Amino acid sequence: MSADPLAAGPDVLEVRDLDVRYGEVLAVDGLSLRVRRGEMLALLGPSGSGKSTLLHTIAGFQSPTAGEVWLKGRRVATSEQAEPPERRDVGVVFQNYALWPHLTALDNVAYPGRRRGLGRRAAREEAQLVLDRLRIGHLARRRPAELSGGEQQRVGLGRALARHASLYLFDEPTAHLDTSVRGVFLDELVVRREATGAAGLYATHDAEEALGLADRVALLDAGSLVQLGTPEQVYAEPVDLWAARLTGPASVLKGTVVEGKGGRCVVRVLDTVINVESTGAAVEPGPVPLLVRPGWARLGGELPGRLRAVWYRGPHSDYLVEIAGAEVLVREPGPPRHTAGDEVSWTLSRTWPLRGRPQPEARPETGVSPTSPPGRSEHRPR
Ligand code: ADP
């Protein structure tokens, strides 16, 4: 992994060798990470990978089995003792927002301001601003029972954002939001961070969301940290096939690295030698599964293939190229230039050798296999 660009910043959060157990289940397994001031760190992992448990432990709703949680240089939780949630300077945005049923939307959102010591009027003015930005300003006077589920959720988001914490914990906050509200919320998050310098830890199973909003992304598998890096690093240089699938559409090609250094790589694919773009680091020669992202291959070039499927996606088109009994997804701008069944030529412009953890589900011996993480459709548009 390359040097951490944020290494110099002060930490808002540090998690040290954390284990969290529910009976027999080790939900968080020896996890260490740090979040710097103003940084947004995404926790990206499939369902059950321990994201919620980690956030609950940082917030104080769950206790460590081993390890420590530090907030702004203060140790707040060990297996022996833990500060209660209200003593931690943390804003929590979970999937379920328990609103005060007897307060209006406005007063629900004004509540954190009041707790910070703002006068009633100032707290309400601030709350109205937050509601306006979340596009529910006109509903300010309604009580939760008079709001739809989505509207209640926005009030909950508003209340969390009005908290002015130095660290926010987000547990899949957009899971039940429709697309337009999701965009509004994510925009508001960016504006807030820029205005306050608050840091965030954002749990999601959605790679696009994680890569789009975070400064760094932590990949979680079964409670363990698999990779930590910038969005570009985890997308372009995943540590293994599992990480590649988790972070986006991935085809895998059986190949051999002939030579790799200085951002270029000479690879052999099906007896054809191609000079492609790769990582800045030196790549060891030898046979290796080669990762191909949809934008890393293009039609026209030295490799033969047959189109198994073609999808028009609006701004771009996806072509599933069959080659020697295997498949690679190629993405090009514009409407389709070919139809399924056509013989085409294609080539690689970039690749990344997948080393790292052995993967039983990897099938490099079959040549190529398009892959996607469990529960996601293959080859979906990004
Ligand atoms: P995620 O948020 O990534 O979906 P969770 O933190 O909810 O993951 O769960 C991590 C693991 O802990 C899973 O195996 C889950 O079944 C288990 N788990 C979560 N909460 C409990 C609980 N209250 N009791 C027992 N097991 C739990």
Side-chain angles (χ1 to χ4, degrees), residues 164-224:
H164 286 210
S166 49
L167 175 68
Y168 287 96
L169 305 178
F170 299 97
D171 193 0
E172 310 236 3
T174 62
H176 306 298
L177 296 181
D178 50 19
T179 318
S180 62
V181 179
R182 189 188 252 231
V184 169
F185 169 64
L186 295 174
D187 290 349
E188 176 64 11
L189 211 59
V190 171
V191 171
R192 283 263 138 187
R193 279 182 60 214
E194 284 168 357
T196 64
L201 193 55
Y202 193 107
T204 179
H205 65 274
D206 184 323
E208 248 181 89
E209 194 166 278
L211 299 181
L213 67 80
D215 299 305
R216 289 188 305 160
V217 182
L219 308 187
L220 283 195
D221 183 18
S224 296

Side-chain angles (χ1 to χ4, degrees), residues 12-13 58-60 70-72 74 76 83-92 116 163-169 198-199:
V12 172
L13 166 72
I58 294 164
W70 292 67
L71 289 169
K72 289 200 287 186
R74 219 159 40 85
V76 297
E83 271 190 6
E86 61 274 14
R87 297 259 309 274
R88 306 182 186 190
D89 178 24
V90 167
V92 174
R116 274 202 321 279
R163 174 91 167 63
H164 286 210
S166 49
L167 175 68
Y168 287 96
L169 305 178

Side-chain angles (χ1 to χ4, degrees), residues 144 160 222 239 277 282 311:
V239 288
E277 196 184 332
W311 296 277

Side-chain angles (χ1 to χ4, degrees), residues 22 25-27 45-54 171-172:
Y22 302 102
V25 179
L26 189 55
S47 175
S49 57
K51 304 181 297 294
S52 297
T53 303
L54 174 61
D171 193 0
E172 310 236 3

